[in-house]
Amino acid sequence: KQEVTQIPAALSVPEGENLVLNCSFTDSAIYNLQWFRQDPGKGLTSLLLIQSSQREQTSGRLNASLDKSSGRSTLYIAASQPGDSATYLCAAGVAIQGAQKLVFGQGTRLTINP
Amino acid sequence: SQTIHQWPATLVQPVGSPLSLECTVEGTSNPNLYWYRQAAGRGLQLLFYSVGIGQISSEVPQNLSASRPQDRQFILSSKKLLLSDSGFYLCAWRRRYSGNTIYFGEGSWLTVV
């Protein structure tokens, strides 16, 4: 059974810092690894998706890496801004009968202080 | 472009009352559809998924049911709500034959009192 863990559970940093969020998964048989952002009381916004054959993906100030062999993914945020404050969720895409589902970590609650 | 709509956004229901949450997807056809729940202090858990009209699979035993009466419509229901059904419910979709990204709706807050 796939389990996804995110460390730390919460992180508070001053504006402008570069930071790394960590995600680990127990079963390397994944289709992909997806990172989401969730603002309080809102749905999930997809940030980056890394296919199982890829090592990393970049979008603006965000860079996500994937190491299937070690069961790890990281989300790197450069030059953090107060608007980056949110909960960040990683999810492993795994096979289910006839489809694919996401197994989520508990999230990292990020606060960027002005 | 594709969009996903989910309603109602907020719901307060007494124990024992029925529930119906609705989700529709626009701009695509034959999507895989999902219902997830996010309970307080817990991660997102997959409740149901569907690969086609009338085809529903359940991930966990529970007090809820799902239906897919049309290709892009997914409904989450209960005949009698329990306190433990409270939570944040999220509908999601994915293109069936290409792309792996799963896209989520804005969610529905359910409080059972």
Side-chain angles (χ1 to χ4, degrees), chain A residues 31-32 34 36 38 40-46 49 51 87 89 96-106, chain B residues 32 34 36 38 41-46 49 51 57 59 88 90 94 99-107 109:
Chain A
Y31 282 126
N32 52 69
Q34 198 164 348
F36 294 88
Q38 186 176 30
K42 301 294 186 181
L44 275 63
T45 301
S46 179
L49 179 142
Q51 305 285 6
T87 295
L89 296 158
I96 49 178
Q97 282 192 353
Q100 182 187 141
K101 73 171 183 180
L102 292 175
V103 178
F104 282 87
Q106 295 276 6
Chain B
N32 289 339
Y34 306 84
Y36 280 83
Q38 190 174 36
R42 302 178 64 180
L44 277 147
Q45 182 182 40
L46 178 63
Y49 67 96
V51 299
S57 298
E59 279 282 289
F88 190 44
L90 288 155
R94 172 183 168 265
N100 287 312
T101 303
I102 295 180
Y103 301 95
F104 284 80
E106 283 297 308
W109 281 102

Side-chain angles (χ1 to χ4, degrees), chain A residues 51-80:
Chain A
Q51 305 285 6
S52 61
S53 59
Q54 297 175 324
R55 297 283 292 181
E56 65 177 343
Q57 281 287 328
T58 298
S59 176
R61 295 182 294 107
L62 305 179
N63 175 276
S65 67
L66 175 64
D67 184 343
K68 275 183 57 178
S69 61
S70 66
R72 295 185 179 186
S73 177
T74 61
L75 178 67
Y76 175 82
I77 303 177
S80 58

